[in-house]
Amino acid sequence: MTLSLWFVFFLAVQVIHFLGTWKLYKTAGRKAWEAAIPVYNAIVLMKIIGRPTWWTILLFIPIINLIMFPVIWVETIRSFGKKTFIDTLLVIGTFGFYIFYLNYTQTLAYEPDRNLNPEHKAADTVSSLIFAVIVATIVHTYFIQPYTIPTSSLEKSLLVGDFLFVSKMNYGARVPMTTVAMPMVHDTIPMTKQKSYLNWPQLPYFRLPGLQTINRTDIVVFNWPADTVYKFRDRSGLRVNKPIDKKSNYVKRCVGVPGDSLSIKDGLVYINGKELALPERAKPQFSYNVALDGKTPIDFEYLLKDMDVTDGAGFINESRDTLFVSALTAAGAERLKHVPGISSVNRIISKDVEDGIFPHIHKWNRDNFGPIYIPQKGKTVALTTETLPFYKTIITDYEKKDLKVNGNEIRIDGKVATTYTFDQNYYWMMGDNRHNSEDSRYWGYVPENHIVGKPIFIWMSWDTNGKGLNKIRWDRVFTTVSGEGQPQSYFKLFLIALAIFFVGEYFWKKRKVKKA
């Protein structure tokens, strides 16, 4: 929905509210016109039902308002003596229109001093749960979101089984675009295959001010832009209609920011002609062929485990004279060179053209790519049939323009176009595990409105290959994701602080008892 349509919808809601409640406002000693003034009517209603004025704010927060509306409906009818279970069922089941019915058919008595405390334990429990869900949803949506690392694309920096806290505040919290959805779940209802949201209505994109901008080498969580295709690398044209904020969550490293010229040469990323400098914690990995002399026995299972090689490895021929290691750091490759029995260690560099590489012009591969321009908001590029493949998805999918091509003529929204000006910023995201990462090399730019947040903290790390307590990677518990030097665990400090708190609380309570 556009802003103008949302304005019309908002006015329609105000009209319905006025028609359905003006008599109740008068019964409560207020003026009928007060039910017609947007926002002010909600403030007055909070006074009528005896609830705090700040509840009004919750009515305008997407997702939260879905929880608040039924609460307000129930509170409203109870303020006028309708407190039975049937009344509650009717007002929720009719989406509040039961109030409309009461307004015109019943003579109601306003109860200004009604008891606001729950009448029994069950009601108290429900009230507490609703409050907890509201608070958790606000935190989840606008402050911190938990996230689990499912793949090895950022291996060595983020491991499979890491449980993260992702900050929404660093880059600015994105206001939910999907307005009707279950709170605190993504695109699917848990333990079912049913989607957890409705595609309509949608709010326009809006982001709150952030603490920082996205910098090169930042690890970023975002909605996977290609998560509207029928399946990965599918060229059938079949589409899945998913809202932006309900596309699958991905995590990669940002290697190109708006305005950059990016290229990849023999697997190394270059920005504006200079090799990208990665932080100390980043450990890029590539695939290697390891040649053996065939004379010296080597315990590769022990060696690779000791080197913490987590991706696949195996011999590529029957003579077993060449070992393929799918992911290895430069330090790991250097170590292998000094192992007796290994004659050479060669990094695999793609030279031939590969299918599936963005922008699908059959020129490049995963290790040799570009240069390409990373689009910047407000910047204009020349538009020809040669440059169109780079920007076609931006124009049609991300910026929702009508694009038609007839021979060499390009039309956007019905007008002949020789240039194009971008509506938003774009980023280039890649995994550190260069030969085992589905990233921007395959599906292109990440729009700014797809950015979710910045991983800041690992609160738990679970190794599926471990046993018992060894499943927990204790050295990764309570570590930061970014920062100078190698990550340090703050778990011991946390336990010490927790012990001090409980001991202090014990003696504080004991002291209070003595004074009493």
Side-chain angles (χ1 to χ4, degrees):
M1 289 176 68
T2 62
L3 283 174
S4 58
L5 285 176
W6 270 108
F7 182 69
V8 171
F9 175 75
F10 176 73
L11 289 181
V13 170
Q14 301 307 309
V15 171
I16 292 171
H17 176 80
F18 171 73
L19 293 175
T21 61
W22 66 272
K23 286 182 68 177
L24 299 183
Y25 275 66
K26 288 185 67 177
T27 303
R30 308 294 302 201
K31 304 294 184 181
W33 61 264
E34 291 182 300
I37 308 300
V39 184
Y40 176 70
N41 54 13
I43 294 173
V44 172
L45 183 60
M46 295 307 145
K47 295 182 182 299
I48 291 173
I49 66 177
R51 294 301 182 179
T53 303
W54 61 264
W55 276 27
T56 304
I57 299 172
L58 301 180
L59 295 176
F60 294 92
I61 300 178
I63 308 301
I64 300 298
N65 53 16
L66 297 179
I67 305 170
M68 288 302 299
F69 284 140
V71 172
I72 298 301
W73 298 335
V74 172
E75 291 288 305
T76 299
I77 63 172
R78 288 181 178 178
S79 295
F80 293 90
K82 295 294 182 178
K83 302 177 182 178
T84 68
F85 174 75
I86 296 298
D87 288 320
T88 301
L89 197 63
L90 283 172
V91 76
I92 294 176
T94 60
F95 298 100
F97 280 96
Y98 182 55
I99 299 173
F100 207 103
Y101 166 79
L102 295 176
N103 189 60
Y104 290 101
T105 65
Q106 306 286 312
T107 302
L108 302 175
Y110 175 55
E111 299 181 8
D113 299 318
R114 70 186 178 95
N115 183 14
L116 298 179
N117 296 318
E119 297 177 357
H120 45 78
K121 189 174 181 179
D124 183 50
T125 301
V126 171
S127 177
S128 299
L129 285 174
I130 290 174
F131 178 76
V133 170
I134 289 173
V135 172
T137 302
I138 291 174
V139 171
H140 183 275
T141 305
Y142 295 97
F143 295 95
I144 296 286
Q145 176 183 344
Y147 185 84
T148 307
I149 298 298
T151 69
S152 62
S153 67
L154 283 169
E155 189 73 24
K156 307 310 177 199
S157 291
L158 294 177
L159 308 183
V160 175
D162 279 351
F163 292 81
L164 310 175
F165 284 135
V166 176
S167 168
K168 303 291 186 71
M169 299 178 292
N170 282 64
Y171 304 135
R174 182 182 60 187
V175 175
M177 289 169 270
T178 303
T179 57
V180 182
M182 287 188 66
M184 295 187 298
V185 298
H186 191 52
D187 60 343
T188 306
I189 300 173
M191 296 181 291
T192 75
K193 294 185 178 180
Q194 302 300 314
K195 68 179 187 179
S196 61
Y197 61 92
L198 298 181
N199 289 67
W200 187 91
Q202 289 280 309
L203 279 174
Y205 166 68
F206 178 74
R207 188 179 295 276
L208 299 176
L211 303 176
Q212 64 173 104
T213 58
I214 299 177
N215 299 314
R216 293 188 203 99
T217 74
D218 278 0
I219 295 177
V220 181
V221 174
F222 55 93
N223 297 115
W224 182 32
D227 197 17
T228 50
V229 296
Y230 181 63
K231 59 183 179 180
F232 188 68
R233 299 183 191 175
D234 180 56
R235 299 283 176 249
S236 67
L238 296 174
R239 306 285 289 178
V240 177
N241 185 20
K242 295 185 76 172
I244 291 172
D245 55 345
K246 294 301 176 183
K247 293 180 180 181
S248 299
N249 287 326
Y250 261 43
V251 59
K252 305 289 179 187
R253 190 181 300 279
C254 176
V255 297
V257 298
D260 281 346
S261 173
L262 178 143
S263 59
I264 304 174
K265 301 174 183 178
D266 291 342
L268 304 179
V269 177
Y270 288 79
I271 300 296
N272 304 323
K274 297 181 179 179
E275 184 178 341
L276 177 67
L278 293 170
E280 182 183 348
R281 295 190 186 187
K283 301 288 192 298
Q285 296 187 99
F286 296 90
S287 299
Y288 285 81
N289 281 331
V290 181
L292 313 179
D293 63 12
K295 301 174 183 178
T296 308
I298 304 173
D299 186 348
F300 278 112
E301 183 177 353
Y302 168 80
L303 181 61
L304 296 179
K305 184 177 181 180
D306 186 59
M307 293 172 59
D308 195 28
V309 174
T310 52
D311 283 18
F315 292 100
I316 64 175
N317 49 32
E318 292 183 1
S319 60
R320 298 171 68 87
D321 59 2
T322 304
L323 180 74
F324 170 76
V325 183
S326 61
L328 196 62
T329 63
E334 192 63 27
R335 177 178 171 183
L336 285 182
K337 290 178 182 179
H338 296 90
V339 174
I342 293 178
S343 54
S344 65
V345 179
N346 302 303
R347 180 157 65 91
I348 297 173
I349 300 174
S350 299
K351 298 294 184 182
D352 299 329
V353 171
E354 295 179 25
D355 290 331
I357 297 294
F358 178 84
H360 315 294
I361 55 177
H362 306 291
K363 286 178 60 177
W364 300 326
N365 58 54
R366 61 185 177 178
D367 290 329
N368 288 280
F369 181 95
I372 62 167
Y373 171 70
I374 313 296
Q376 185 175 10
K377 181 179 180 180
K379 295 295 184 180
T380 301
V381 294
L383 205 58
T384 65
T385 52
E386 287 75 28
T387 62
L388 184 59
F390 293 88
Y391 310 121
K392 181 179 179 181
T393 301
I394 288 178
I395 296 169
T396 58
D397 286 9
Y398 306 152
E399 302 191 355
K400 304 299 181 184
K401 305 291 196 305
D402 178 45
L403 173 69
K404 287 187 171 55
V405 181
N406 184 15
N408 290 325
E409 183 184 76
I410 300 171
R411 287 182 176 268
I412 297 177
D413 292 338
K415 298 180 181 179
V416 175
T418 57
T419 61
Y420 185 76
T421 303
F422 300 103
D423 292 344
Q424 62 178 316
N425 287 321
Y426 291 83
Y427 300 87
W428 195 263
M429 307 289 186
M430 288 176 60
D432 292 348
N433 196 345
R434 295 287 198 253
H435 291 166
N436 190 17
S437 174
E438 294 173 356
D439 51 37
S440 286
R441 292 171 294 176
Y442 300 94
W443 32 258
Y445 310 106
V446 174
E448 185 178 76
N449 62 9
H450 284 55
I451 301 299
V452 173
K454 180 176 182 176
I456 56 172
F457 195 67
I458 300 170
W459 62 272
M460 173 60 76
S461 186
W462 190 259
D463 183 1
T464 55
N465 296 319
K467 295 180 180 180
L469 290 177
N470 289 329
K471 279 184 173 291
I472 300 176
R473 302 184 183 104
W474 295 102
D475 61 328
R476 296 185 65 80
V477 175
F478 281 49
T479 59
T480 55
V481 174
S482 304
E484 299 296 328
Q486 294 304 310
Q488 299 291 325
S489 174
Y490 295 96
F491 187 55
K492 290 182 180 178
L493 293 177
F494 168 75
L495 293 178
I496 292 170
L498 202 62
I500 292 172
F501 171 79
F502 284 119
V503 170
E505 186 182 41
Y506 170 78
F507 284 109
W508 176 258
K509 288 181 177 179
K510 197 171 180 180
R511 183 182 176 188
K512 285 179 69 177
V513 170
K514 285 182 178 180
K515 285 185 177 181

